[in-house]
């Protein structure tokens, strides 16, 4: 903790000295004026925008007061436009304004719009898939087929994404993906992360960003970032929205949400509540075959069916206080409760060395899971001028907890279906807790000749305490089982500093960055008094270079170096039993993986993006289910470091306007992933294959208020390390009707119409073969309704990205 505070103090002092020096010589001016209507009455609470004349980029927003007046203070010498967009009035754009001294504009008269607002129907909307610099964006709120889905289902169907049978997310061949929500990583990995995301309704999501090469300002954790941005109201006054949906697959699903926002010139108060009840299942069929020196010695044929009933509550509330033109304070609190009672039934047929069925065992899992977290963020931003010079500080605290009760009952049957062993009853109490403390400072300054400097610091301290207690309740007893019980304590301290320098010059755009992170971790298992510790420093450079050949053609180059640290669960050196023949075990010797990525993108008309990429991951963290070293016919699920993974990628985004009412978006992603390493005595040497996936989205605007959507997805066969994953495909249909002057929306969709979205694969290790099929509740018919109420559109609550970043991504799976 002393290290955490010491590093924080040093960097804060450095930042203070930095902005004191940089701001001393600025020469700024004031632009002011007044907006009136045709009756010469003031137009209050209008958003006025100051735009640079060179590229129409936004410099600053201001409100008009009750007298209709506004002022842009601290404006640098130069040429600008002033723009106003007010509901009920025609858009206003000023003549060119040259600022060499203070400027007082003549009164500006806004003209009433001649169009009856009740008759306005906006047809144009953002496509479901968009591309920006280094990002692929899914505009969830604009998709008809996304209605009624969960966040996990949306990610699962995103371009370039593959989810394996253990719910691990891969993006274009890369593993170790960091999943964020509103700029903050989620506190889970694997199945725990998937279950959390299954509780977040699509009605609460605005967009999903997939960032392949984040800059040095981002935490270095994760080979790439998937950021889920929740909806925020963007209107002045008191506004809000309500939404509800009902879906029916094999089981029912309902999503409901309410958001409220009140904003004036001084205060913005916002809050939201989301509730989801979703019943779902996972049906996993396994054929597992064991060999010894290539001689068959036995097999298990297993059928695992587990049902979930997610009760998920998400609440968020906060306030932004605009103290004056230079200082803004913010405070946000949030809480999540995710309760579900998994009911699993596993039937396994046992085969001997002659491949003859010899017996059967069944395992019933009746569990109660309660996952929760609460967090708080305090944010302060000081703006030094209107050119974007600012210092922001985030203080974060977060607590994640879990309380899990597990009950396993295993029975053994002979070929006559008679029990030949006493039933084995295992009861588990699993309690987990995680506390995260974080401070982050970011400084931005526009230098001479329009260079932009960004610099910052982040320090975090984490303590995880997880206790697993198992009891053998066979024969009506309750005996503590020390061989399965565990108490694991983990601490982590990360201190980071970064800087980036960027400049746009004529046809060139550049950004160079460097981040340095010092990591100190330790873990202790109290049951058998074992421990580990690690301490290292890493550098993470990043670069962006863009060149615009013409108005139609441009070229962009991206580079970044990233790190994926093992999660707390992955490091915990203890065995967690899944069934009598399978257990899960952490690896205290697991090393972080590092990824270097290069991308070259051609941009045509800002619509067609073609990207050629290469990425190399060293010490790739790979989840495997392989034979146990010391136990015959037993498999262990764990993580190992694979020596190297090389990924060569070619991706294309191709939007097509087929007709005036039919728009098509096509995402074509192809890559070759080459794997090298040795796990479970199974060597790999440049093993991989060329594969591709196609995501097509068709939007049909039949009338101004009635539209349809057809989407389709196809993934070819893929070699993923020791797995060969077979092709999969699906398509969806949807309809949408806007009602009540476009304030309400009614959607109807059918996802995975032919029920083809399932994963089948073959896994091969030395002396072990496995074939599996995974089915989920993917064919669902959903009806959804949304209603918005309130006033005109303005920028809403400011973006929230606290300091507790990469830590939360790895936390939750360490809670049990």
């Amino acid at each position: 903790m002393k290290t955490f505070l010491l590093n924080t103090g040093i960097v804060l002092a450095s930042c203070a000295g930095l902005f004191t020096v940089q701001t001393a010589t600025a020469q700024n001016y004031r632009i002011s004026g007044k907006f009136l209507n045709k009756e010469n009455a003031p137009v209050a609470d209008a958003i006025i925008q100051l735009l640079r004349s060179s590229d129409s980029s936004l410099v600053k927003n201001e409100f008009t007061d009750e007298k209709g007046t506004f002022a842009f203070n601290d404006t640098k010498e130069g040429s600008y436009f002033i723009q106003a967009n007010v509901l009920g009035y025609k858009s206003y754009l000023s003549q060119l304004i040259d600022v060499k001294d203070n400027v007082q504009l003549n009164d500006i008269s806004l003209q009433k719009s001649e169009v009856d607002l009740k008759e306005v129907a906006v047809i144009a909307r953002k496509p479901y898939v968009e591309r920006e610099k280094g990002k692929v964006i899914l505009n969830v709120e604009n998709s008809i087929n996304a209605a009624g889905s969960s966040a996990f289902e949306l990610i699962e169907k995103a371009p370039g994404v593959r989810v394996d049978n253990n719910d691990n997310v891969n993006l274009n061949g890369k593993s170790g993906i960091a999943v964020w929500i509103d700029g903050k990583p989620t506190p889970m990995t694997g199945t725990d992360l998937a279950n959390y995301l299954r509780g977040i309704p699509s009605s609460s999501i605005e967009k999903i960003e997939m960032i392949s090469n984040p800059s040095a300002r981002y935490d270095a954790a994760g080979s790439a970032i998937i950021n889920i941005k929740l909806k925020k109201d963007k209107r002045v006054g008191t506004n809000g929205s309500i939404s509800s949906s009902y879906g029916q697959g094999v089981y029912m699903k309902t999503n409901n949400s309410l958001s409220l926002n009140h904003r004036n010139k001084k205060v913005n108060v916002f809050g939201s509540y989301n509730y989801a009840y979703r019943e779902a299942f996972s049906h996993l069929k396994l054929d597992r075959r064991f060999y010894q020196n290539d001689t068959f010695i036995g097999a298990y044929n297993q059928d695992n069916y587990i049902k979930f009933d997610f009760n998920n509550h998400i609440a968020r509330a906060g306030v932004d206080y605009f103290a004056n033109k230079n200082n803004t304070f913010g405070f946000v609190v949030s809480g999540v409760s995710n309760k579900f009672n998994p009911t699993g039934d596993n039937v396994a047929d046992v085969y001997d060395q002659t491949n003859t069925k010899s017996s059967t065992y069944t395992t019933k899992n009746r569990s109660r899971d309660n996952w929760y977290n609460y967090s708080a963020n305090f944010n302060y931003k000081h703006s030094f001028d209107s050119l974007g010079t600012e210092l922001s500080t985030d203080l974060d605290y977060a607590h994640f907890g879990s309380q899990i009760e597990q009950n396993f009952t295993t029975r053994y049957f002979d070929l006559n279906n008679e029990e030949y062993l006493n039933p084995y009853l295992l009861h588990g109490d699993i309690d987990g807790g995680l506390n995260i403390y974080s401070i982050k400072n970011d400084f931005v300054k526009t230098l001479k000749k329009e260079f932009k400097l960004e610099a910052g610091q982040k320090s975090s301290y984490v303590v995880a305490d997880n206790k697993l207690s198992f009891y053998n309740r066979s024969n009506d007893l309750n005996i503590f089982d020390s061989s399965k019980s565990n108490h694991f304590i983990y601490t982590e301290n990360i201190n980071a500093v970064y800087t980036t320098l960027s400049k746009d010059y004529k046809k060139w755009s550049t950004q160079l960055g460097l981040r340095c992170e010092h990591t100190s971790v330790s873990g202790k298992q109290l049951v058998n008094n074992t421990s580990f510790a690690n301490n290292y420093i890493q550098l993470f450079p990043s670069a962006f270079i863009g060149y615009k050949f013409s108005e139609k053609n441009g070229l962009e180059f991206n580079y970044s170096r990233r790190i994926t640290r093992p999660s707390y669960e992955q490091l915990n050196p203890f065995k967690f039993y899944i069934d009598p023949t399978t257990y899960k075990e952490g690896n205290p010797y697991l090393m972080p993986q590092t990824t270097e990525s290069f991308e070259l993108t051609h941009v045509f008309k800002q619509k067609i993006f073609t990207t050629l990429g290469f990425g190399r991951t060293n010490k790739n963290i790979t989840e495997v289910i392989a034979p146990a070293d010391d136990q015959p016919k037993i498999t262990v699920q764990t993580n190992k470091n694979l020596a190297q993974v090389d990924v060569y990628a070619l991706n294309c985004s191709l939007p097509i306007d087929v007709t005036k009412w039919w728009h098509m978006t096509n995402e074509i992603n192809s890559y070759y992933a080459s794997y090298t390493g040795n796990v479970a005595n199974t060597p790999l040497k440049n093993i991989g294959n060329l594969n591709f996936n196609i995501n097509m989205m068709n939007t049909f605007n039949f009338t101004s208020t009635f539209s349809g959507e057809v989407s389709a997805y196809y993934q070819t066969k893929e070699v993923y390390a020791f797995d060969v994953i077979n092709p999969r495909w699906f398509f969806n249909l949807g309809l949408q009707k806007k009602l009540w002057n476009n304030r309400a929306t009614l959607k109807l969709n059918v996802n995975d119409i032919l029920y083809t979205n399932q994963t089948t694969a073959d896994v091969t290790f030395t002396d072990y073969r496995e074939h599996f099929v995974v089915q989920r509740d993917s064919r669902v018919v959903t009806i959804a309704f949304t209603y918005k109420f309130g006033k005109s559109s303005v920028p809403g609550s400011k973006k929230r990205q606290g300091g507790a970043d990469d830590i939360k991504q790895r936390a939750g799976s360490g809670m049990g």
Side-chain angles (χ1 to χ4, degrees):
M1 193 67 176
K2 291 181 180 178
T3 304
F4 169 71
L5 295 173
L6 178 61
N7 281 277
T8 299
I10 291 173
V11 178
L12 278 172
S14 301
C15 285
L18 176 64
F19 63 71
T20 300
V21 173
Q22 294 288 343
T23 58
T25 60
Q27 180 64 48
N28 300 317
Y29 302 101
R30 170 187 172 94
I31 304 175
S32 57
K34 179 187 290 188
F35 278 88
L36 306 172
N37 60 23
K38 65 179 182 180
E39 289 83 20
N40 287 325
V43 179
D45 291 325
I47 281 288
I48 314 302
Q49 297 177 318
L50 182 66
L51 309 176
R52 287 191 180 90
S53 63
S54 58
D55 57 4
S56 297
S57 61
L58 177 65
V59 177
K60 194 175 183 182
N61 285 315
E62 286 291 352
F63 286 97
T64 56
D65 60 18
E66 65 277 2
K67 297 180 181 179
T69 60
F70 69 93
F72 291 103
N73 299 303
D74 299 324
T75 304
K76 189 178 178 180
E77 180 177 336
S79 298
Y80 301 91
F81 294 108
I82 285 178
Q83 179 175 278
N85 289 290
V86 185
L87 188 64
Y89 295 90
K90 292 182 178 180
S91 296
Y92 170 81
L93 182 66
S94 71
Q95 299 292 323
L96 186 69
I97 302 172
D98 288 320
V99 176
K100 297 180 180 179
D101 202 342
N102 293 334
V103 177
Q104 174 65 49
L105 301 173
N106 296 326
D107 290 352
I108 302 167
S109 179
L110 293 177
Q111 302 298 314
K112 286 279 188 180
S113 173
E114 298 176 359
V115 179
D116 186 349
L117 293 177
K118 294 183 179 181
E119 297 177 358
V120 173
V122 180
I123 298 177
R125 60 176 180 172
K126 291 183 178 180
Y128 180 62
V129 181
E130 278 190 307
R131 284 185 180 263
E132 293 181 359
K133 291 181 180 178
K135 293 182 183 179
V136 174
I137 300 173
L138 307 182
N139 292 302
V140 175
E141 63 179 347
N142 293 330
S143 172
I144 301 172
N145 288 326
S149 298
S150 67
F152 180 77
E153 291 166 332
L154 295 173
I155 290 176
E156 189 177 27
K157 293 182 287 188
V161 170
R162 184 181 64 80
V163 178
D164 65 19
N165 61 310
N166 295 311
D167 292 331
N168 296 303
V169 177
N170 294 271
L171 178 62
N172 290 329
K174 294 181 181 178
S175 62
I177 307 301
V179 178
W180 292 15
I181 296 179
D182 274 343
K184 295 185 179 183
T186 51
M188 306 161 210
T189 59
T191 300
D192 295 332
L193 171 62
N195 289 338
Y196 177 76
L197 295 177
R198 287 184 178 110
I200 299 178
S202 61
S203 59
S204 65
I205 300 173
E206 176 188 356
K207 64 176 68 174
I208 297 175
E209 300 174 330
M210 294 182 287
I211 309 170
S212 57
N213 278 329
S215 72
R217 181 167 185 169
Y218 290 85
D219 288 340
S223 59
I225 293 173
I226 296 178
N227 183 33
I228 301 170
K229 299 188 71 173
L230 302 179
K231 290 181 180 178
K232 298 180 179 67
D233 205 304
K234 300 177 181 179
R235 294 169 290 173
V236 75
T238 301
N239 310 279
S241 66
I242 56 173
S243 66
S244 183
S245 70
Y246 178 86
Q248 187 66 53
V250 175
Y251 301 110
M252 62 89 69
K253 305 146 201 326
T254 180
N255 297 330
N256 307 276
S257 64
L258 168 68
S259 67
L260 294 171
N261 188 88
H262 177 78
R263 177 167 182 156
N264 56 37
K265 292 183 65 176
K266 278 291 185 182
V267 177
N268 182 41
V269 182
F270 54 92
S272 63
Y273 170 73
N274 297 279
Y275 171 70
Y277 177 78
R278 302 177 63 84
E279 295 182 0
F281 73 86
S282 176
H283 190 187
L284 173 63
K285 294 181 179 180
L286 290 160
D287 181 32
R288 303 159 72 180
R289 309 181 72 82
F290 297 87
Y291 299 82
Q292 189 173 47
N293 299 323
D294 291 331
T295 300
F296 178 74
I297 61 173
Y300 298 109
N301 195 312
Q302 297 177 286
D303 192 320
N304 299 274
Y305 187 94
I306 186 167
K307 181 186 175 184
F308 304 92
D309 57 341
F310 296 101
N311 274 280
N312 190 278
H313 302 263
I314 303 174
R316 181 174 181 265
V319 59
D320 297 322
Y321 174 61
F322 311 104
N324 52 45
K325 65 181 181 180
N326 294 329
N327 296 284
T328 302
F329 299 86
F331 183 69
V332 180
V333 293
S334 62
V336 176
S337 171
N338 189 17
K339 295 182 179 181
F340 52 100
N341 302 315
T343 57
D345 293 284
N346 172 34
V347 179
D349 293 329
V350 182
Y351 292 81
D352 61 19
Q353 65 273 16
T354 65
N355 204 23
T356 302
K357 181 178 175 181
S358 59
S359 63
T360 299
Y361 70 83
T362 65
T363 300
K364 292 183 180 296
N365 171 19
R366 301 295 183 264
S367 301
R368 295 178 181 272
D369 286 48
N370 179 17
W371 295 76
Y372 58 91
N373 84 272
Y374 47 85
S375 61
N377 166 265
F378 172 78
N379 175 274
Y380 168 71
K381 184 174 74 172
H382 178 77
S383 299
F384 295 91
D385 53 43
S386 62
L387 302 178
T389 304
E390 64 182 38
L391 173 69
S392 61
T393 297
D394 279 277
L395 299 174
D396 279 89
Y397 169 74
H399 174 79
F400 297 93
S402 63
Q403 295 174 335
I404 303 171
E405 177 186 314
Q406 294 185 329
N407 293 282
F408 297 95
T409 301
T410 302
R411 297 179 180 273
Y412 302 88
F413 300 89
D414 60 21
L415 294 179
N416 296 319
N417 203 31
E418 295 181 356
E419 292 191 64
Y420 65 92
L421 292 175
N422 291 328
Y424 176 56
L425 280 67
L426 182 66
H427 172 82
D429 291 316
I430 305 172
D431 293 315
L434 177 76
N435 289 295
I436 300 173
Y437 310 85
S438 175
I439 182 171
K440 181 167 72 81
N441 298 278
D442 297 294
F443 178 74
V444 181
K445 172 67 180 177
T446 300
L447 306 175
K448 293 181 179 180
K449 298 184 180 180
E450 297 192 5
F451 279 96
K452 183 179 181 181
L453 172 69
E454 297 180 70
Q457 165 273 342
K458 177 187 169 184
S459 292
S460 62
Y461 185 72
V462 176
V463 179
D465 190 338
N466 303 280
K467 186 176 182 180
L468 292 76
S469 300
F470 282 94
Y471 300 85
N472 186 341
R473 290 187 171 178
S474 305
N475 303 316
D476 296 324
L477 299 176
N478 190 38
I479 302 174
F480 180 73
D481 190 340
S482 60
S483 68
K484 294 181 174 64
S485 300
N486 180 21
H487 190 178
F488 182 65
I489 297 176
Y490 178 92
T491 61
E492 176 186 87
N493 179 214
I494 298 177
N495 296 285
V497 292
Y498 78 89
T499 184
T500 67
L501 186 65
S502 58
K503 177 178 174 59
D504 293 340
Y505 179 72
K506 294 184 178 178
K507 295 184 177 183
W508 291 92
S509 298
T510 59
Q511 183 186 79
L512 301 175
L514 180 64
R515 187 179 187 92
C516 177
E517 294 191 352
H518 171 261
T519 304
S520 177
V521 299
S522 65
K524 186 173 183 180
Q525 185 174 280
L526 302 183
V527 172
N528 55 15
N529 198 31
T530 61
S531 62
F532 65 88
N534 201 359
N535 193 310
Y536 52 90
I537 294 177
Q538 295 262 19
L539 295 177
F540 303 97
S542 65
F544 171 83
I545 301 174
Y547 183 77
K548 193 173 183 180
F549 295 98
S550 64
E551 290 300 317
K552 293 183 178 180
N553 290 281
L555 203 61
E556 298 173 354
F557 171 78
N558 266 294
Y559 165 77
S560 70
R561 184 176 188 268
R562 310 281 298 165
I563 187 171
T564 300
R565 299 179 179 91
S567 71
Y568 314 131
E569 181 189 31
Q570 290 171 337
L571 293 169
N572 187 351
F574 198 79
K575 297 177 181 178
F576 180 81
Y577 286 85
I578 300 172
D579 62 42
T581 63
T582 308
Y583 65 87
K584 191 174 183 179
E585 183 178 39
N587 179 4
Y589 305 106
L590 197 62
M591 298 297 293
Q593 72 174 39
T594 56
T595 302
E596 292 191 83
S597 297
F598 305 81
E599 288 186 348
L600 186 65
T601 301
H602 177 260
V603 183
F604 181 68
K605 291 185 176 181
Q606 290 298 316
K607 292 177 63 178
I608 300 174
F609 294 79
T610 305
T611 301
L612 181 66
F614 171 74
R616 169 165 291 178
T617 299
N618 292 308
K619 299 179 181 178
N620 188 78
I621 297 175
T622 305
E623 185 172 69
V624 296
I625 300 180
D629 294 331
D630 54 353
Q631 300 177 72
K633 298 173 66 174
I634 298 294
T635 54
V636 55
Q637 179 180 335
T638 189
N639 286 270
K640 301 283 189 178
N641 286 116
L642 205 60
Q644 183 176 292
V645 178
D646 290 338
V647 178
Y648 307 83
L650 178 62
N651 306 319
C652 182
S653 177
L654 183 63
I656 301 173
D657 290 318
V658 183
T659 68
K660 292 182 178 180
W661 51 270
W662 178 6
H663 177 78
M664 178 188 297
T665 301
N666 303 283
E667 292 287 325
I668 305 171
N669 301 289
S670 63
Y671 60 89
Y672 180 93
S674 175
Y675 300 89
T676 300
N678 191 312
V679 174
N681 297 317
T682 307
L684 296 177
K685 181 64 174 178
N686 297 325
I687 298 298
N689 77 318
L690 178 64
N691 65 91
F692 65 89
N693 59 75
I694 301 174
N695 192 306
M696 300 176 60
M697 176 73 71
N698 296 271
T699 304
F700 306 93
N701 293 307
F702 302 119
T703 69
S704 61
T705 60
F706 183 51
S707 58
E709 192 173 275
V710 178
S711 60
Y713 179 90
Y714 178 76
Q715 168 75 54
T716 63
K717 178 185 288 188
E718 177 184 4
V719 175
Y720 178 73
F722 305 96
D723 300 2
V724 177
I725 304 164
N726 293 318
R728 68 184 181 100
W729 62 279
F730 58 86
F731 73 95
N732 316 312
L733 294 173
L735 296 172
Q736 174 178 280
K737 176 67 177 177
K738 290 186 175 293
L739 306 167
W740 307 334
N741 302 321
N742 297 318
R743 286 188 175 270
T745 304
L746 185 65
K747 297 179 181 180
L748 175 68
N749 65 53
V750 185
N751 280 284
D752 192 15
I753 295 173
L754 299 180
Y755 200 38
T756 55
N757 187 13
Q758 61 183 28
T759 301
T760 65
D762 293 283
V763 183
T764 302
F765 287 94
T766 299
D767 290 337
Y768 178 72
R769 309 284 188 275
E770 175 182 297
H771 175 78
F772 69 81
V773 179
V774 181
Q775 291 179 313
R776 298 187 174 98
D777 200 3
S778 57
R779 180 165 56 188
V780 181
V781 180
T782 302
I783 186 168
F785 176 79
T786 301
Y787 179 74
K788 294 181 179 181
F789 53 90
K791 296 184 180 179
S792 58
S793 176
V794 301
S797 56
K798 62 181 179 178
K799 180 181 178 182
R800 286 290 176 195
Q801 182 173 326
D805 289 345
D806 61 319
I807 317 157
K808 295 184 181 179
Q809 172 65 25
R810 302 175 294 123
S813 55
M815 300 191 299

